[in-house]
């Protein structure tokens, strides 16, 4: 659907809302996806999908109703508006919610995230098959059960009763593979992926070598003696760990009274070496977007500065609740209620070289298991299965498996032993951090 057609559709929809004496914001999105999977030298999946959704957040007399439709025909949209109106009648009055972003006309103007793709499908099929065959050709690999290529094109429109009309479009690609290694009666498996904006950004050979190196390296791992260890998490693991507790930055959680940092603005919550920003644009980043879930402009935010909590992530409702300015962190999909979310999370560089961070003995953890079942976001307590390597002065001394790492995330942020001076990103390219060495984590081993 063209911008003009969608503009007319959303305008008609919002006119219906106005006739009901209500106001609303509406999100519409259209997605196309293509995926391939390889198994036993053949394609096991060749899937092309497309979908569309439109969702409304309707507010009348201080009450909010949410509804969505997968059809854009007039009768379906009329039913969606009626469903939202009916839902609002049974909702509690929420004085904080209003349609407050007026006359926003933002379009994500970043050619990097929406580049034309002219790659022949044969090359994509060849990549999927090569991921499996090249992995199986490596020593001791007896299986590569997960191999594939995927791409997606997404277009989103956001409009509201205050004259806002915003648009975003992006294209992304990715691939993944896995290795099952067996030797001397033991097994080890590792899975990993890559993401990018162009097909030629995908590098299968480095990905295959990295996956094989981890699976092979961990094969003969044993538990280390129980005790307290200095720990460096791989960037992927640190991203996963932080994701379990990211709600500590949420103004919505603070509004609900369950954020342990609710009353800590301006106070120290972490080591003075820790700085954290939400950044709109990172080169190659996968969360570039000009506007948030209400149509407000996104901007770089300093969340933690030298250990001090500077701000929480706010949408207009949480900002109104706390009497502060919104900061462009609203999050909402066509199906969801209003929430908050960062853009790219970027930890600041520290004062130490990577050689200093890796000095002495420590555990490098490259796999965490059972994350969300083993984490309490309110208390900060966590306990996960883990695998990695016992290291000394940057060299891997022995593989480690069958251990449990436990601690309290909020205390952990204050127990930094060193922070490196080079930035790394996770596979998803939305989390960036230097090497960070944490002190005194409890390890249950042998």
């Amino acid at each position: 659907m063209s911008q003009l057609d969608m503009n007319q559709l959303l305008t008609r929809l919002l006119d219906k809302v106005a006739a009901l004496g209500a106001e609303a914001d509406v999100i519409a999105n259209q997605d196309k996806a293509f995926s391939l999977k390889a198994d036993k030298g053949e394609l096991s999946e060749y899937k092309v999908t497309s979908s569309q959704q439109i969702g409304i957040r309707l507010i009348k007399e201080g009450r909010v109703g949410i509804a969505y439709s997968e059809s854009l025909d007039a009768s379906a949209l009329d039913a969606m508006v009626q469903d939202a109106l009916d839902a609002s009648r049974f909702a509690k009055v929420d004085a904080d919610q209003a349609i407050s972003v007026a006359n926003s006309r933002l379009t994500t103007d970043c050619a990097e995230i929406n580049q034309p793709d002219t790659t022949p499908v044969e090359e994509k099929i060849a990549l999927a098959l090569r991921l499996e065959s090249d992995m199986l050709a490596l020593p001791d690999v007896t299986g590569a059960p997960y191999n594939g290529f995927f791409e997606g094109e997404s277009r989103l429109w956001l409009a509201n009763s205050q004259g806002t009309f915003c648009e975003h479009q992006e294209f992304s690609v990715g691939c993944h593979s896995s290795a099952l290694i067996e030797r001397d009666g033991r097994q080890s498996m590792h899975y990993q992926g890559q993401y990018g904006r162009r097909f030629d950004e995908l590098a299968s050979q480095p990905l295959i070598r990295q996956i094989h190196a981890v699976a092979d390296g961990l094969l003969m791992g044993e538990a280390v003696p129980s005790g307290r260890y200095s720990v460096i998490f791989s960037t992927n693991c640190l991203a996963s760990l932080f994701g379990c507790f990211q709600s500590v930055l949420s103004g919505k959680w603070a509004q609900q009274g369950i954020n342990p940092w609710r009353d800590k603005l301006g106070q120290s919550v972490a080591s003075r070496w820790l700085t954290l920003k939400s950044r709109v644009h990172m080169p190659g980043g996968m969360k570039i977007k000009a506007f948030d879930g209400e149509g407000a402009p996104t901007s770089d935010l300093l969340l933690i500065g030298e250990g001090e909590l500077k701000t929480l992530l706010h949408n207009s409702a949480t900002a109104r609740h706390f009497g502060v300015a919104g900061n462009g962190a609203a999050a909402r999909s066509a199906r969801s209620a209003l929430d908050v979310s960062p853009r790219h999370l970027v930890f600041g560089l520290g004062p130490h070289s990577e050689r200093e961070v890796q000095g002495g003995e420590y555990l490098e953890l490259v796999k965490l298991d059972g994350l969300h079942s083993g984490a309490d976001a309110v208390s900060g307590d966590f306990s996960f299965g883990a695998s990695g390597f016992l290291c000394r002065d940057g060299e891997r001394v022995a593989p480690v498996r069958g251990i449990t790492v436990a601690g309290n995330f909020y205390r952990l942020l204050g127990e930094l032993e060193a922070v490196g001076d080079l930035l790394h990103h996770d596979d998803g390219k939305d989390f960036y951090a230097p090497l960070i060495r944490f002190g005194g984590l409890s390890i249950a081993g042998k």
Side-chain angles (χ1 to χ4, degrees), residues 108-245:
T108 305
D109 185 16
C110 182
E112 157 188 353
I113 70 169
N114 191 34
Q115 301 180 55
D117 177 54
T118 58
T119 308
V121 69
E122 291 78 11
E123 291 189 31
K124 299 170 183 178
I125 293 173
L127 171 63
L129 295 173
R130 190 167 62 246
L131 286 165
E132 182 189 35
S133 61
D134 289 358
M135 184 66 79
L136 290 172
L138 294 178
D140 300 316
V141 176
T142 59
Y146 308 109
N147 309 274
F149 165 83
F150 47 90
E151 67 183 34
E153 182 180 357
S154 177
R155 193 170 184 184
L156 179 145
W157 297 265
L158 186 154
N160 71 22
S161 301
Q162 299 293 325
T164 285
F165 188 88
C166 300
E167 186 177 3
H168 174 85
Q169 192 166 359
E170 65 177 276
F171 178 80
S172 60
V173 296
C175 65
H176 60 267
S177 188
S178 57
L180 174 63
I181 293 180
E182 296 184 73
R183 188 169 64 241
D184 299 331
R186 305 192 62 155
Q187 291 186 336
S188 176
M189 185 169 170
H190 187 58
Y191 168 95
Q192 200 166 327
Q194 283 182 348
Y195 293 84
R197 299 293 185 182
R198 301 192 320 270
F199 181 80
D200 60 10
E201 291 178 3
L202 302 179
S204 62
Q205 287 306 308
L207 175 64
I208 288 169
R209 289 195 296 269
Q210 188 173 10
I211 293 170
H212 183 268
V214 172
D216 186 65
L218 292 175
L219 182 66
M220 305 307 292
E222 300 287 351
V224 293
S226 298
R228 297 183 70 82
Y229 289 79
S230 296
V231 170
I232 297 176
F233 295 93
S234 71
T235 308
N236 281 340
C237 284
L238 185 59
S240 297
L241 176 63
F242 196 85
C244 293
F245 299 96

Side-chain angles (χ1 to χ4, degrees), residues 56-138:
I56 187 169
R57 178 176 66 117
L58 182 147
I59 304 175
K60 184 173 184 180
E61 299 173 353
R63 303 175 190 271
V64 181
I66 305 290
Y68 75 93
S69 171
E70 295 182 353
S71 171
L72 301 185
D73 66 57
S75 60
L77 296 181
D78 287 346
M80 179 187 73
V81 172
Q82 187 63 48
D83 287 345
L85 182 63
D86 292 343
S88 72
R89 294 188 177 115
F90 295 97
K92 293 181 180 179
V93 172
D94 187 345
D96 293 322
Q97 291 210 40
I99 305 302
S100 56
V101 179
N103 300 313
S104 178
R105 298 280 169 160
L106 295 171
T107 298
T108 305
D109 185 16
C110 182
E112 157 188 353
I113 70 169
N114 191 34
Q115 301 180 55
D117 177 54
T118 58
T119 308
V121 69
E122 291 78 11
E123 291 189 31
K124 299 170 183 178
I125 293 173
L127 171 63
L129 295 173
R130 190 167 62 246
L131 286 165
E132 182 189 35
S133 61
D134 289 358
M135 184 66 79
L136 290 172
L138 294 178

